[in-house]
Amino acid sequence: SKELAKNPLESCAAKLTQEKQTAYDQFIDFLIGKRFSDSTVKVYGHFVLGFLKHSHDTSLKELNENNVRHYIETTVGTLNYAVSTHRQMVSSLKHFAFFYPACSIHTDAIYMPRKDKKLPVILSVEEILRLLKITKNLKHKTIIAVLYASGLRVGELITLELKDFDFTRNQLHIRNSKGRKDRYATIAVSLHPLLKNYHDAYKPKTYFIENPKGGPYSANSIRAFLKKGCTIAGIKKKVTPHSLRHSYATHLLEHGTDIRYIQELLGHSRPETTMM
C-alpha cells in the first residue's frame, strides 16, 4: 500500500526489547501458519512492529487497549490514513492480541471504523479508447488493455506468467488470487495482435509483464503511468488500475451479461460485491 510509507513516529533507531522482538518474530510465523497472503503478512507485520516500537519500554503483559488507542490515534492523525488502512491497522492489532493472550488488550474495546460505501470510478468505452490511443509505449498500452479487457486486479496482472495464457480457448489462468482462489479470465480475440506485437518486441521470459531488471513488474509503475496517461487524455476522474476492472464489469452488465457470470469472471465470493 502507498500509505505504508515510512512512519515518522517509528524511528529507525528505535529497537525492540528482546521480549518484543521474539514476540514479533513469532507473530509473523503465526500469520504465515494461518496461510495469510504475503501482502497481508507484510501489512499486519508493519502495523504490529510500529505498535511495539511506539509502546517503547512497556512490557508485553502491560500493553492494553489504551496503548493501542494512543498508537492508532497518533498514527492515523499524523499520516491521515484512509478508512481502509485504519481498518487494516485495527485488524492487525486484534490478531496480535489473539496471538498473545498474556497481554492486557481487550479487543472489544478497540474501535473499528465502518467501511466507506463509495461507488467505484467507471470509465466510459470512449474514455478507455482515448486512453489507449494516447498511450504510445507498447508495454503500457498492453497493460491497460489487458487490465480492462480481462478484468484483472493489478496484483493478478503482475504475477501472470506466460504459461497462464491459453490462446486456443482464449483464457487466462489466474492462480492463487485474492482468497487463495484460482479462476479463468477471458482473452479478447481483438487483443491477439497487440499481445503478439508486445511479445515480439519485449520477449518476456517468465512473467507476462517483466521488470527490465528481471522479475515481475511494479504495481506502482502501473499506477504512475496510468495517472499520467489520464491527464494527457483529459480524463479528470481519479483513475486507478482497479477502475479498469470496475469498468470492465460495468460494461459487461450494460451489454446484458448475467451478473452471476460477471461474478465468476471477477472471482468474487459474494454477489453483493459484484452488484456494488
Side-chain angles (χ1 to χ4, degrees):
S1 171
K2 291 184 293 180
E3 292 191 319
L4 299 189
K6 180 114 187 93
N7 186 338
L9 303 171
E10 299 162 18
S11 166
C12 276
K15 288 190 176 180
L16 298 181
T17 62
Q18 187 57 54
E19 176 196 36
K20 286 182 178 178
Q21 183 64 57
T22 300
Y24 172 75
D25 292 341
Q26 291 175 346
F27 176 65
I28 296 299
D29 290 340
F30 164 77
L31 296 177
I32 295 171
K34 288 183 74 71
R35 290 191 163 290
F36 285 2
S37 69
D38 290 345
S39 61
T40 300
V41 172
K42 180 181 178 181
V43 170
Y44 282 16
H46 169 87
F47 286 130
V48 168
L49 180 62
F51 171 61
L52 294 177
K53 286 183 176 181
H54 185 74
S55 60
H56 302 296
D57 295 330
T58 306
S59 70
L60 286 173
K61 290 183 179 180
E62 292 175 337
L63 291 175
N64 57 37
E65 58 274 14
N66 289 324
N67 299 108
V68 171
R69 179 180 55 78
H70 185 260
Y71 170 64
I72 292 174
E73 288 175 355
T74 308
T75 307
V76 171
T78 302
L79 299 178
N80 195 27
Y81 279 159
V83 170
S84 57
T85 309
H86 187 165
R87 287 175 59 87
Q88 285 180 317
M89 179 188 286
V90 172
S91 182
S92 65
L93 295 170
K94 286 191 173 191
H95 274 84
F96 179 75
F98 174 79
F99 157 75
Y100 198 86
C103 69
S104 303
I105 299 172
H106 297 290
T107 55
D108 292 342
I110 305 174
Y111 173 71
M112 173 74 83
R114 293 176 65 179
K115 282 184 179 179
D116 286 333
K117 292 190 176 180
K118 295 178 181 176
L119 288 173
V121 171
I122 306 298
L123 295 174
S124 66
V125 173
E126 292 74 22
E127 286 172 324
I128 296 283
L129 293 173
R130 196 158 78 238
L131 179 60
L132 287 169
K133 186 176 180 180
I134 64 94
T135 304
K136 304 304 181 185
N137 182 291
L138 180 58
K139 179 183 281 189
H140 295 175
K141 187 189 290 282
T142 303
I143 289 171
I144 292 171
V146 174
L147 282 173
Y148 169 70
S150 298
L152 302 187
R153 299 177 177 96
V154 68
E156 294 169 347
L157 177 78
I158 60 178
T159 56
L160 200 61
E161 298 184 21
L162 297 177
K163 65 182 180 183
D164 298 325
F165 285 77
D166 184 342
F167 286 103
T168 304
R169 300 168 63 200
N170 283 315
Q171 287 187 331
L172 286 174
H173 190 180
I174 312 300
R175 303 173 190 271
N176 199 26
S177 186
K178 192 173 182 179
R180 299 201 306 275
K181 291 182 297 187
D182 284 12
R183 76 175 192 282
Y184 286 102
T186 57
I187 305 172
V189 176
S190 58
L191 281 191
H192 285 205
L194 177 64
L195 294 175
K196 185 177 188 309
N197 288 343
Y198 162 74
H199 187 269
D200 290 346
Y202 286 89
K203 297 179 172 54
K205 297 179 176 61
T206 302
Y207 293 98
F208 170 54
I209 305 292
E210 290 184 332
N211 187 309
K213 296 178 181 178
Y217 202 65
S218 161
N220 284 336
S221 296
I222 296 175
R223 294 187 187 100
F225 76 65
L226 183 59
K227 182 179 179 180
K228 183 178 178 181
C230 286
T231 301
I232 297 171
I235 299 169
K236 300 189 183 302
K237 299 170 183 175
K238 191 175 181 180
V239 178
T240 67
H242 216 67
S243 304
L244 300 173
R245 175 174 158 89
H246 289 313
S247 302
Y248 163 78
T250 303
H251 296 162
L252 283 177
L253 190 65
E254 289 173 345
H255 283 82
T257 307
D258 184 82
I259 192 75
R260 294 286 182 177
Y261 181 55
I262 297 174
Q263 177 188 346
E264 195 174 304
L265 288 174
L266 295 177
H268 286 157
S269 300
R270 299 165 62 245
E272 291 82 4
T273 308
T274 313
M275 287 300 294
M276 178 63 77

